[in-house]
Structure formats: structure tokens, C-alpha cells
Amino acid sequence: MSAPLIVLLVLLAAALAALATWLVIQRRRRLAARRTIIKTLAPGDQRVAMVINPVKAHAPAARALLAEACELAGWDPPLILETTRQSPGYEQARRAVQLGADVVLAGGGDGTVREVARALANTPAALGLLPLGTGNLLARNLGLPVADLPASIRAALHGDQRRIDMGKISLQDADTGELRSSTFLVMGGIGFDAEVIAATRDDLKKRVGWLAYSEAGVRLLPGRRTRMSISLDGEAPKIRKVRSVLIANLGRLPAGIDFIPEARMDDGLLDVVIMSPRSLAGWLWVAGKVVTKNPRKIPVIDYRRARTVEIRVAQPTQTQLDGDLAGAATTVRVEVNPAALLVRAPSPDSQQPQPQTPQHAAGSAAGAGG
């Protein structure tokens, strides 16, 4: 099959998916308009802080809605802390905790959420989510209404609390000697998935959201496999030729794709997915298994579970954390941090089916994420 034909098929499928999604969203918005926006207030007082990325399109609306919600509850005005390019959220969240915040809302994309969560790990402060980005991976996995900003604020202020695991990761580049450490909430990866993120066009992402990744994916499908040494839980490493290794705490992706149905956010384990297709046929095999959720094992994708993972490659290879590039590395070490983070989300009986929008929207306004 020729490359142009592959691109045409992918774009056609994306267009049909976008149309179907739009129709579903319109129906759900009509239903949502009939529901009461303000929920019965939780008893007691609480100190609220928000760490927000001010460049996001819906940042002003988020600030106004949160201030209104706190006023209606009879609480003090929320502490608002803005991120900067040099300080993307960690320091601001640490300050909020030091000032006694009971809940710290992360208003931004997955990068902002990750930085705030890193500061809240192993503290009594809860993380609330205001999804203003493109992927909004943690919000989707927690069942948050990513296209409904008022509902997200309700969940952050009055939702159920639960503790979830986090991933701790160390990245080393033997060529430069650089050593970096970070955390992730949904999944990290090395290889093809990170290469797709790096190749995705920013202008296209602003126009069509997460659908932009499919265009980059088509371009990179013919790439070669990489020889990787993979060790789980300290076992002897195994040498594999692979396209990508994903280490996940949660398994749901945009478009409603449950990539790892067995993944649990609080089981104290990481789900490791090793993908090794050599051709388009191999990728179609992977896609078929994921879409149909067929439990039968196939040789081009391997699912494992572990508490620690170590991956080594000969040449620096691109990595990603929760959909953001994390730089090239030759050694990746990951371990689970069990029950490290207290999060707030809608209670199971109040959750609505989540619209998987190609672009973030707040209320009835479409916006661009990043």
C-alpha cells in the first residue's frame, strides 16, 4: 500500500471520527443545559488555590468561575498563582501547600498538571483538575468532563477524593552525561510514541487538537525498530527489537481509546507495553487488538506488569511523559510511587459519558489547547 493512500485513509477516518464526535457533543450539550450548574455545597470550609497557565485560551474564564464558586460557598477567595516558562507549576504548588491549601487546582495542560502533582505528592493537599490543554490525559482517565469547565470546578471543589499511584522516572543521556528526573501520572514512553509527539506540527495541533498526532504518526510509521535492553523488577535484562515501550499508570487515551484496559491507578503496579511491529501490517495488527480489546496475545505487542523498569539503548532515543517531550535518553529507569497523590474527581454515580473532543471546549466555546 502506497504512503499517499495510507495518509488518505487515515485522514478520511479522522474526518469521520470528528464528525461523529461533533454530533455526540452537540447532543450532550443540549442535555447538559437542562442540568443545574451549581451542586449542593460540601459542608465545612476549605482553603482553595489554583496554579494556572495564563496563556491558555480559557484561563480568564477559569479564574472567574472558580472565584464565583468559592464566593457562593462562603469561602475565602482562591489563591491564584500563575505559571511561567521558567517555573511551570512546581514552585507555585509548593507555595500553596505551605500556605495551607486544602486543594490545589491545576489549570492548564498535562505539563501543568504533572508539575503541580509533583509538588503535592505525599502531602495531605488534594489535586483538582481544570483541563485546559489538548490531551488532558489524567482528566480523561478520572472521568472528568473535559469540555465542561463549570463541571470540572465542581469536581475539584466537591468531588470524591482518592489516592492514586504516580510514576517516578530517571532519564540519562550517556552522550552528554545529563541526568534528569521527573514524574508522570498517566504514561511515559521511549521510541515511536515520543517521536510522533516531537514531529507533530504545532499549527495543526492548535487547529484540530489531538487529531494532529495522526498526521505525524503516518509519516513515521515506516521507521526502523530499535534494539533495547529491558529489565523488569530487577530481572536479567532481555534484548528486544522494538518501535516503542510505554510504561503506564493509566491506560485511556483521547478519542475514547482504552489502550490498556487492565491498567489501574491504585494497584501499586506499572503496566509495560512493548510494541515491535516491523511493517504497516504489524501496526494494523496492533490497532486491531487495541480497538477490539481482543484478549488473545499477538507477537507484535507484549503487555507486562512491574514495580520497576529499566530500559537501555545504544543511541540517545526520544522520550515522553504524559504527552510532553522529555528529551533523548540512553537509560530510562522507572519505579511506581504507590498512593502518592490525593486527587478529586466526580463521584461514580454523577459521572456522565465523556465527549472526546478534537479540541478543548469550555461551555459552548471551542478553544485551542497546548
Side-chain angles (χ1 to χ4, degrees):
M1 184 179 293
S2 66
L5 181 56
I6 297 171
V7 174
L8 179 61
L9 291 174
V10 170
L11 292 179
L12 177 60
L16 292 174
L19 176 61
T21 298
W22 183 84
L23 293 173
V24 171
I25 291 169
Q26 299 310 308
R27 179 177 180 273
R28 287 173 179 167
R29 283 180 179 162
R30 289 194 297 271
L31 294 175
R34 303 173 190 170
R35 298 197 299 267
T36 301
I37 294 299
I38 302 300
K39 185 181 178 181
T40 302
L41 297 175
D45 193 8
Q46 66 176 332
R47 288 159 289 187
V48 179
M50 177 167 67
V51 176
I52 188 164
N53 184 342
V55 306
K56 293 300 182 182
H58 298 292
R63 297 175 70 139
L65 287 168
L66 180 60
E68 180 184 6
C70 289
E71 182 179 2
L72 286 170
W75 303 333
D76 290 338
L79 172 65
I80 306 295
L81 301 167
E82 293 186 351
T83 66
T84 65
R85 184 178 296 274
Q86 295 74 26
S87 182
Y90 176 82
E91 295 297 335
Q92 294 86 339
R94 289 300 302 167
R95 181 185 172 198
V97 172
Q98 291 166 0
L99 292 175
D102 298 301
V103 59
V104 181
L105 284 68
D110 292 308
T112 302
V113 171
R114 189 170 59 254
E115 286 297 301
V116 173
R118 187 164 67 92
L120 300 185
N122 302 307
T123 75
L127 171 70
L129 298 170
L130 295 187
L132 305 179
T134 301
N136 303 310
L137 294 178
L138 181 60
R140 295 178 192 277
N141 278 272
L142 290 174
L144 278 160
V146 297
D148 188 339
L149 197 52
S152 294
I153 290 176
R154 286 202 307 271
L157 298 183
H158 310 296
D160 287 355
Q161 294 191 158
R162 64 183 299 182
R163 285 204 167 269
I164 67 171
D165 303 334
M166 295 176 66
K168 297 167 59 178
I169 188 165
S170 172
L171 303 166
Q172 185 172 13
D173 187 335
D175 284 8
T176 64
E178 183 181 11
L179 179 63
R180 310 179 301 279
S181 61
S182 189
T183 61
F184 63 90
L185 299 163
V186 180
M187 64 180 67
I190 180 170
F192 178 74
D193 56 308
E195 294 166 2
V196 168
I197 293 170
T200 299
R201 292 163 41 197
D202 289 338
D203 61 327
L204 190 60
K205 191 165 72 169
K206 288 179 180 179
R207 292 202 304 270
V208 300
W210 52 263
L211 288 174
Y213 295 115
S214 63
E215 184 271 340
V218 168
R219 286 189 281 118
L220 296 178
L221 273 181
R224 293 184 177 182
R225 298 185 299 174
T226 301
R227 186 184 297 270
M228 298 188 186
S229 168
I230 304 171
S231 173
L232 306 180
D233 288 335
E235 296 178 350
K238 295 182 179 179
I239 307 299
R240 302 279 299 270
K241 284 187 176 182
V242 305
R243 287 298 306 276
S244 183
V245 179
L246 290 172
I247 303 121
N249 184 43
L250 296 163
R252 187 175 300 164
L253 302 176
I257 298 173
D258 203 353
F259 189 66
I260 314 172
E262 297 80 11
R264 299 291 179 266
M265 64 183 74
D266 55 3
D267 60 0
L269 294 170
L270 297 166
D271 289 80
V272 184
V273 185
I274 304 168
M275 293 180 285
S276 56
R278 292 185 293 181
S279 63
L280 175 61
W283 282 116
L284 291 175
W285 205 356
V286 170
K289 177 176 175 59
V290 171
V291 171
T292 64
K293 299 182 181 179
N294 191 328
R296 182 180 177 183
K297 292 184 178 181
I298 60 176
V300 294
I301 186 169
D302 187 16
Y303 294 91
R304 302 286 300 277
R305 282 182 173 173
R307 290 180 174 83
T308 63
V309 183
E310 181 171 312
I311 302 168
R312 294 178 180 269
V313 291
Q315 300 296 325
T317 303
Q318 194 64 257
T319 64
Q320 61 87 12
L321 299 175
D322 291 340
D324 292 327
L325 290 176
T330 54
T331 301
V332 176
R333 296 184 179 90
V334 186
E335 64 178 299
V336 66
N337 189 357
L341 184 66
L342 185 65
V343 298
R344 289 188 184 175
S347 59
D349 60 352
S350 68
Q351 289 185 23
Q352 301 293 327
Q354 298 307 306
Q356 306 299 327
T357 56
Q359 287 181 287
H360 175 81
S364 62

